[in-house]
């Protein structure tokens, strides 16, 4: 294992995307959309690694809005 942290993060992203696809009932054809949504949600979520700040807020300097979030596949 060369980079355990990166492999763990990749596995977490894969598991979340797979879970979203299963719960939505969508086919594997929507895998790319599930991955994109997973990354977007991670960037909108507080992270322990950065003192529970929101990554998108740190990158943009603006607090994110959550009003347009919907259940994946709706």
């Amino acid at each position: 294992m060369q980079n355990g942290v990166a492999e763990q993060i990749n596995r977490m992203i894969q598991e979340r995307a797979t879970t979203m696809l299963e719960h939505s009932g969508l086919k594997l054809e929507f895998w790319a959309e599930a991955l994109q949504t997973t990354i977007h949600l991670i960037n909108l979520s507080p992270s322990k690694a950065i003192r529970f700040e929101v990554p998108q807020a740190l990158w943009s300097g603006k607090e994110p809005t959550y009003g347009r979030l919907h259940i994946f596949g709706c």
Side-chain angles (χ1 to χ4, degrees), residues 40-73:
H40 181 66
L41 292 173
I42 289 170
N43 288 332
L44 290 176
S45 303
S47 173
K48 182 178 178 181
I50 51 176
R51 300 176 312 281
F52 295 99
E53 295 282 343
V54 176
Q56 184 172 344
L58 292 176
W59 291 327
S60 68
K62 302 175 192 171
E63 285 300 315
T65 58
Y66 300 97
R68 294 185 64 206
L69 293 179
H70 299 283
I71 296 172
F72 181 76

Side-chain angles (χ1 to χ4, degrees), residues 2 4 7 10 15-17 21 25 36 45-46 48 52-53 68:
Q2 290 294 322
E7 291 177 13
N10 286 338
E15 289 171 355
R16 289 182 184 186
L21 278 175
Q36 184 177 12
S45 303
K48 182 178 178 181
F52 295 99
E53 295 282 343
R68 294 185 64 206

